[in-house]
Every structure is written in C-alpha cells, then in structure tokens.
Amino acid sequence: MFGLGTSLPTIFAARALDGFFCGNMGVTRTYLGEIVDESNEAKGFSFLALCFSAGLFVGPILGGELVFPAERAPHIFGGTIFETYPFLLPNLTYAIFAAIAWVIGCIFLEETLPASQRCSCLRRRAPSAETVELPPAMGLVRSTSGTDPSGAPTRFVPDEGESSVTAPTGKRYPVELIQTIV
C-alpha cells in the first residue's frame, strides 16, 4: 500500500498501518528470553542487537537503490507498473523478505509453552499441586511452574460463588476484570 500511494494521506495511512502491525521486537525478545538460559543469554541478545543494527544499515541502502527502477533499468522496468509507482519495488522487496521470514518462523520455530498450558483461557482447570496461594484478599493463584520464572499469576481462580475480589487496599473488583488482567 505504501508503494502504491499517490497522495500524502494515503502514504501516512500506509505508514500508520505498517507501524501498527509491526510490533515484532517485543515478541522476538520474549521468545528469545524463553529459549536461552544463563549460559548463552548474553550471546543471544547481543546477536539480536547485531541483526537489528544490520537491518537498520542495509535496509535504507537496499531501499534507496531500488527506488525509480524504470529510470535506472529502463530495459527491464520501462513501460511497467514501476514507471507509474517508483516506490513499489523497494516495498515489494520488503514484503517478500517479510513473507519469507514468516514462513521460516512458521516452519522452524517451536512452541515454548508446554502443551498442558496451551489454551488454558478456553477451559477451566482446578489448581494443580504445583500452585502457591497468594494472600487470601487477592484471590489469585500463583503458579511456580511454566515459562515464567518469577511465578507471576497465570490464571485467576475465584472462590465458589465469588462475584468480586477485595484487594489489599480495601477496594472491590469484579471477577471478570481480574480474569481479564491476569
């Protein structure tokens, strides 16, 4: 869409959509944090920074060289859509690289969440023996297993017939709100 933009509002809208759907650094860091351990954590995160920096260096060079293809290589791109839309080729190249990375990720990246914990939001389970109760006022169950080493709450199990929870501050919160947050 960005490469096909012919007006400033269209280009701004395309750039806004690209920024909205490109939240991959947080996901990448989270996944990397789950697959490394103390022995290779520094190497893994420094390699991620190296790849990000290389992309910031190579991306603009590659994009700049691919702009105006009909003027640079008229025997290949003359009389094509690239003559009308001179910024389409660098954007198509970016889209192809993104699609290839997506396919590689789908094929080769393994799920880090154990199968027993997947889709727990869709089914209710009784607390297991590996859970530790928080203070009773919170009404939360803190799990010490799984991928979260701090044991942060992974699910909310209300008491029988409980419609709201009293926080340590004395405020009462609806069960649905607590379930949504946790």
Side-chain angles (χ1 to χ4, degrees), residues 33-162:
E34 290 181 353
I35 62 172
V36 298
D37 57 12
E38 291 81 18
S39 66
N40 59 4
E41 182 176 12
K43 187 183 288 186
F45 280 99
S46 62
F47 185 70
L48 177 64
L50 174 74
C51 291
F52 183 75
S53 298
L56 286 176
F57 181 74
V58 173
I61 294 172
L62 181 62
E65 290 298 317
L66 294 176
V67 172
F68 299 110
E71 293 176 13
R72 291 179 184 251
H75 57 283
I76 298 173
F77 297 107
T80 64
I81 192 170
F82 298 110
E83 200 164 27
T84 308
Y85 301 103
F87 301 104
L88 181 59
L89 185 59
N91 286 281
L92 279 177
T93 305
Y94 164 71
I96 289 170
F97 281 142
I100 290 170
W102 183 81
V103 168
I104 290 171
C106 284
I107 294 172
F108 295 108
L109 286 180
E110 296 178 11
E111 175 63 61
T112 59
L113 188 64
S116 63
Q117 293 182 354
R118 294 183 198 159
C119 297
S120 64
C121 60
L122 300 178
R123 62 180 183 267
R124 282 277 206 200
R125 293 188 319 200
S128 66
E130 298 179 19
T131 60
V132 178
E133 292 290 331
L134 288 177
M138 292 297 289
L140 295 173
V141 174
R142 183 175 263 201
S143 173
T144 56
S145 64
T147 58
D148 187 3
S150 70
T154 56
R155 63 186 178 275
F156 174 74
V157 182
D159 293 334
E160 186 76 28
E162 187 177 32

Side-chain angles (χ1 to χ4, degrees), residues 1 5-16:
M1 187 170 149
T6 56
S7 67
L8 198 57
T10 305
I11 291 172
F12 280 149
R15 184 65 189 102

